[in-house]
Amino acid sequence: MKDLSPIPAGPGVDGWQRIPIEENHEQLVSLNRLTHRMIVRPYYYAMNIPTEIDGAYVRQGAI
C-alpha cells in the first residue's frame, strides 16, 4: 500500500536575504531555443512592460 502521509512543511523562506550572492562569471544561456520540449513565454514582455526582455536565461551550469 502507498504511503499517503501528509507532505512535511518545507524550510520556508525566512532569512533568504542573508544568503550571499557570489559572482562566478558563468555564461547565461537562452531557454528560447534550448529544447523543443520546453515552451518559454515571456508574459511581461508580451504585456509591453518596460525593461522586460523577450526570453528567459539560466546559468550554463543549470542545464
Side-chain angles (χ1 to χ4, degrees):
M1 180 175 214
K2 292 183 181 179
D3 179 14
L4 299 176
S5 302
I7 299 171
V13 295
D14 293 337
W16 66 267
Q17 300 96 334
R18 292 188 298 272
I19 297 173
I21 298 174
E22 297 177 15
E23 175 60 62
N24 67 0
H25 303 284
E26 194 169 358
Q27 181 179 357
L28 294 178
V29 178
S30 172
L31 293 178
N32 290 359
R33 295 179 186 88
L34 186 63
T35 175
H36 69 281
R37 298 176 62 193
M38 182 184 312
I39 298 171
V40 177
R41 293 187 177 140
Y43 286 108
Y44 290 166
Y45 178 82
M47 294 168 48
N48 295 315
I49 294 178
T51 71
E52 291 307 313
I53 58 174
D54 185 15
Y57 296 82
V58 296
R59 295 179 297 105
Q60 176 72 39
I63 297 177

